[in-house]
Amino acid sequence: FATACRSIGYTKSIKRLWKDLDKDGSGGITLNEFAPQAHKALTELHSLLDEKYGNTLKGWCSAMDIDGNRMLKEGEFADCCSKLGLSVDGKQLFKWLCPQGRDYLTLEDVDPKAAAAMYRGDWTMATSDARGQSAKARLEFAKFIANASVRFKPWQCKGFQSEEEVLKQLKGAWSDRI
């Protein structure tokens, strides 16, 4: 943080700046504290994907990354946001999320937890956050743990129509190992 501040020419107290940005005194600066409009838009996007597809990962695979290239250009992202019913301009959200020097977004940019779940082969995102999960989510977590040695490549999230298909694939892969 200090290095980044100095690299853009900030010469005042880094400690004071951190304290000013850390509004809740947690010791960390969240997106909500730093850019509340971006946080609100990203939270809305996650909620829409959760409501319509079950989680961000399934939404990314089903509604956003249609061509399966694991990246979205600005127009592609804005179109997806519009189709989902996002109340914020998708192009603006793209600009907030896109790392400097790139002209595309990845799942990691939109939801790092969903990206990590994809690389683990956890399409239900059951292992992403165990706090406050429903009984169904805990059951999905138990199914995931039972088949934990089975891993899929990221491209395999395409084409699954339901959790049952994923579980069938897991069971098939597991039985091949016995």
Side-chain angles (χ1 to χ4, degrees):
F1 178 76
T3 304
C5 289
R6 296 292 182 226
S7 73
I8 61 169
Y10 188 80
T11 58
K12 296 182 181 177
S13 170
I14 301 290
K15 213 177 212 182
R16 177 70 186 170
L17 177 61
W18 184 269
K19 187 176 178 183
D20 289 345
L21 291 172
D22 182 18
K23 293 177 175 82
D24 65 2
S26 66
I29 301 170
T30 64
L31 182 60
N32 192 33
E33 290 171 312
F34 185 72
Q37 289 177 312
H39 177 263
K40 182 180 177 192
L42 186 58
T43 300
E44 181 184 350
L45 177 62
H46 288 178
S47 294
L48 287 169
L49 292 170
D50 288 349
E51 289 169 19
K52 294 182 181 192
Y53 298 96
N55 64 46
T56 311
L57 174 55
K58 289 178 186 176
W60 173 268
C61 291
S62 301
M64 300 189 85
D65 186 22
I66 304 297
D67 59 9
N69 68 353
R70 298 192 297 165
M71 66 176 75
L72 297 175
K73 298 275 189 166
E74 182 178 18
E76 190 179 10
F77 181 78
D79 289 346
C80 291
C81 289
S82 179
K83 287 176 186 172
L84 285 167
L86 189 69
S87 66
V88 178
D89 178 36
K91 288 185 178 188
Q92 180 59 57
L93 180 55
F94 181 92
K95 289 174 184 162
W96 284 328
L97 295 175
C98 192
Q100 191 172 14
R102 277 205 343 230
D103 66 344
Y104 62 90
L105 288 176
T106 65
L107 180 56
E108 289 87 351
D109 302 319
V110 174
D111 187 343
K113 286 183 180 180
M118 180 176 70
Y119 293 121
R120 287 192 306 272
D122 177 12
W123 310 118
T124 64
M125 293 182 64
T127 61
S128 292
D129 187 359
R131 294 182 303 266
Q133 289 184 340
S134 66
K136 182 181 178 195
R138 287 191 300 274
L139 176 60
E140 291 302 323
F141 178 74
K143 289 176 185 174
F144 176 78
I145 294 302
N147 295 291
S149 66
V150 180
R151 297 288 182 250
F152 294 97
K153 294 177 178 68
W155 58 266
Q156 288 177 305
C157 73
K158 303 298 284 177
F160 287 122
Q161 299 299 315
S162 68
E163 292 177 22
E164 288 75 28
E165 287 184 37
V166 174
L167 290 172
K168 183 178 175 185
Q169 179 73 17
L170 284 169
K171 287 177 184 173
W174 182 257
S175 66
D176 292 346
R177 293 173 176 218
I178 297 173

